[in-house]
Amino acid sequence: MVNSSRKRLVIGNWKMHGDSAFNSELLAGLRSGIAQVQGCDVAVCVPFPYLYQTQSLLEGSAVSWGAQDVSQHDKGAYTGEVAAAMLADFNCRWVLVGHSERRSYHGETDAVVAAKASAAMAAGLTPVVCVGESLQEQEAGQTHAVIDRQLAPVLALGSENLSRLVIAYEPVWAIGTGRSASPEQAQEVHALIRTRLEAAGAGQVRVLYGGSVKGSNAASLFAMPDIDGALVGGASLVASEFLSIAAA
Ligand code: PGA
């Protein structure tokens, strides 16, 4: 099999969805269904207010959890921000950084994204650094240039740091559109990312694909040599669908 040395990883990104009642059913479904999943790390990244609920309902299960953003600062007068140490306080293992929705709606620059990844690692969390080109950039043939630009400050963190993070390639045109990249299209960009990671001394970093992943297309994506798992939005809100991706 391909990817033999890198354990598969599937992370759900709930985005701004859920409430206490909905979450409790979803988390119970994950907790009871995870036994059917072998050889894959499974996690959910939930909205901040539900971290305590998530921790309470998943503690002791094989499903780990995390947040969808983190401050680049340790503490201080940063109203509305959440520090990495606060996430660690809820036993978060993961945090998404630089999701395209953060980059486009909140003006996060490549440098800020790398600073957030650094802050997360300093608190013992594993950052999942998201990169990906827009439709316009793809059509202009700029995909590789965009990925290189977004990766540059992250690669500059050095091989020791890089070995403690995860990269997620999420073409913006595939997010929430139902139009996933084809396995070959995704693999082409994953291979570029792998080459850059290898050159930085971190070839074993897991690289996830994200953008309209569902139970029906996960297996063909995971068959690609440089796709190590998925970052899943919409389909992570239905326990059976999400688990079928992890089991693919
Ligand atoms: P999607 O979202 O699976 O709903 O396309 C993926 C993401 O934005 O992480």
Side-chain angles (χ1 to χ4, degrees):
M1 268 307 280
V2 291
N3 301 348
S4 52
S5 56
R6 297 185 300 271
K7 190 173 182 193
R8 182 157 312 151
L9 169 62
V10 170
I11 301 181
N13 171 14
W14 289 6
K15 309 195 180 188
M16 200 169 71
H17 292 290
D19 58 36
S20 303
F22 176 89
N23 303 346
S24 114
E25 217 173 289
L26 176 53
L27 293 167
L30 296 181
R31 199 180 169 106
S32 64
I34 190 66
Q36 77 201 39
V37 176
Q38 305 291 326
C40 177
D41 290 328
V42 177
V44 288
C45 288
V46 309
F48 294 131
Y50 299 118
L51 281 173
Y52 180 70
Q53 180 190 25
T54 301
Q55 177 186 16
S56 310
L57 294 179
L58 291 182
E59 198 102 73
S61 82
V63 184
S64 53
W65 59 92
Q68 299 168 16
D69 183 33
V70 66
S71 176
Q72 62 184 301
H73 306 289
D74 287 353
K75 61 175 151 191
Y78 300 104
T79 302
E81 294 208 41
V82 174
M86 297 173 182
L87 302 181
D89 208 9
F90 290 90
N91 284 352
C92 285
R93 176 160 171 211
W94 314 93
V95 63
L96 308 183
V97 298
H99 188 279
S100 66
E101 288 147 20
R102 299 293 317 171
R103 292 178 188 262
S104 61
Y105 306 145
H106 301 275
E108 291 188 10
T109 63
D110 302 326
V112 165
V113 172
K116 288 184 171 199
S118 243
M121 289 189 285
L125 304 173
T126 300
V128 179
V129 179
C130 305
V131 297
E133 81 288 1
S134 68
L135 180 61
Q136 207 185 5
E137 289 162 338
Q138 192 219 28
E139 286 173 350
Q142 295 168 346
T143 299
H144 286 199
V146 169
I147 301 299
D148 273 332
R149 193 204 73 218
Q150 293 175 335
L151 280 181
V154 179
L155 296 173
L157 296 173
S159 62
E160 210 170 295
N161 280 318
L162 285 170
S163 66
R164 294 157 56 208
L165 56 73
V166 169
I167 303 285
Y169 168 58
E170 298 203 302
V172 178
W173 47 269
I175 295 177
T177 58
R179 185 188 153 209
S180 168
S182 70
E184 295 73 22
Q185 254 176 330
Q187 166 59 26
E188 204 254 321
V189 180
H190 280 242
L192 170 81
I193 296 171
R194 181 78 56 211
T195 303
R196 299 297 185 250
L197 288 168
E198 278 166 357
Q204 284 312 304
V205 168
R206 289 186 282 189
V207 184
L208 312 183
Y209 167 78
S212 299
V213 177
K214 11 182 207 287
S216 57
N217 61 14
S220 58
L221 288 159
F222 296 165
M224 295 291 126
D226 291 301
I227 299 183
D228 303 320
L231 181 56
V232 184
S236 71
L237 298 172
V238 180
S240 58
E241 181 74 14
F242 183 56
L243 290 170
S244 76
I245 294 169

